[in-house]
Amino acid sequence: MPESRWFNSSRGARFNPGWERTRKMILERDSHRCQRWVTDWRTGGRRKCWLPANEVDHIHRAENGEPDDDSPENLEALCSYHHKQKTARESGDARIKKRRRREVESWYSHPAYRTSA
Ligand SMILES: [Zn+2]
């Protein structure tokens, strides 16, 4: 039922109440390893980054202030390097990203995210 998303999440809110649980679930699903595809510089082959991951990120971000899709298919574990890289790129491209960067910063200053350094 698509309505429940609107019912449960206020527009633009970065936290949903189940996020911490979802985050743990995704990390476990992905074996706490970064799922980003990278090119191996020696072989030229594609492989997963596979560094220890402590971040969970949206594969496709919602646009125009819509709530992000927090379903497992849209989430992947990332190492801190790839997560920073993705966040930097996402915040680089439009006016709304300026606002989003502030949101992301306040999101990551949340005490829940200070446990993993
Ligand atoms: Zn990585």
Side-chain angles (χ1 to χ4, degrees):
M1 40 184 138
E3 295 88 357
S4 64
R5 265 180 68 196
W6 293 103
F7 185 77
N8 288 330
S9 56
S10 57
R11 257 176 171 302
R14 283 304 310 133
F15 271 112
N16 74 52
W19 173 249
E20 193 55 32
R21 193 156 22 122
T22 304
R23 185 175 167 274
K24 283 202 177 73
M25 191 182 79
I26 299 301
L27 284 172
E28 275 176 34
R29 182 196 67 184
D30 293 345
S31 310
H32 294 255
R33 298 287 178 172
C34 180
Q35 302 299 303
R36 182 50 48 94
W37 288 92
V38 295
T39 302
D40 190 299
W41 61 271
R42 282 168 305 171
T43 66
R46 300 280 281 166
R47 60 175 178 83
K48 285 189 176 180
C49 165
W50 218 244
L51 284 172
N54 52 25
E55 313 279 356
V56 170
D57 205 13
H58 295 88
I59 296 169
H60 300 291
R61 294 302 294 264
E63 295 297 327
N64 304 319
E66 299 290 319
D68 288 314
D69 178 6
D70 288 341
S71 59
E73 304 79 44
N74 192 43
L75 294 167
E76 64 181 356
L78 290 183
C79 67
S80 54
Y81 171 80
H82 277 120
H83 187 261
K84 277 202 193 79
Q85 198 182 54
K86 187 161 192 267
T87 304
R89 192 172 59 238
E90 278 176 353
S91 55
D93 64 74
R95 309 178 247 109
I96 75 159
K97 307 293 177 154
K98 208 169 151 191
R99 181 170 57 84
R100 174 158 284 162
R101 179 157 47 191
R102 283 204 303 273
E103 285 171 6
V104 167
E105 275 163 10
S106 61
W107 178 27
Y108 281 107
S109 64
H110 189 282
Y113 286 86
R114 289 190 178 149
T115 51
S116 55

